[in-house]
Amino acid sequence: MTLWTAILVASIVCVALKAVGYLIPPSLFDAPRPARIIDLLTVALLAALVAVQTLGDAQAIMVDARVPAVLVAAGLLALRAPFLVVVVAAAAVAAGLRWFGWAI
């Protein structure tokens, strides 16, 4: 399978999944249990994306300055800090660790 074949197949599958989503009646999601599952699934997917982007480096796990930065961001979010403060603090932690040579 060539790269272009894989891209074409993935595109067709994505369009098919989107079309199937429009065919499902909305009343199916109005019940409390499916609505709760949909909400939790969204959070789980976002958490998985953050974990992969923070720890992933090709096929290996990479622990570098991003891990403490994400931990600082999570702590500030738990304290209900403004989002801009969270972003600046996380960036400062990562930059500081890299500046002093304590992390890659």
Side-chain angles (χ1 to χ4, degrees):
M1 179 182 290
T2 66
L3 177 64
W4 286 108
T5 307
I7 291 172
L8 184 63
V9 168
S11 300
I12 292 170
V13 168
C14 286
V15 169
L17 283 173
K18 187 159 182 97
V20 167
Y22 285 119
L23 297 175
I24 297 174
S27 61
L28 189 66
F29 302 118
D30 290 339
R33 189 171 188 181
R36 178 85 172 134
I37 290 171
I38 290 169
D39 289 341
L40 292 176
L41 189 61
T42 304
V43 173
L45 287 173
L46 182 59
L49 177 65
V50 168
V52 167
Q53 291 296 317
T54 301
L55 299 173
D57 184 32
Q59 296 294 322
I61 294 176
M62 182 73 161
V63 177
D64 59 3
R66 293 176 291 184
V67 175
V70 168
L71 292 174
V72 166
L76 288 174
L77 285 173
L79 295 173
R80 305 271 189 213
F83 186 71
L84 186 59
V85 172
V86 171
V87 171
V88 170
V93 167
L97 289 173
R98 289 181 177 140
W99 177 270
F100 291 114
W102 295 337
I104 297 172

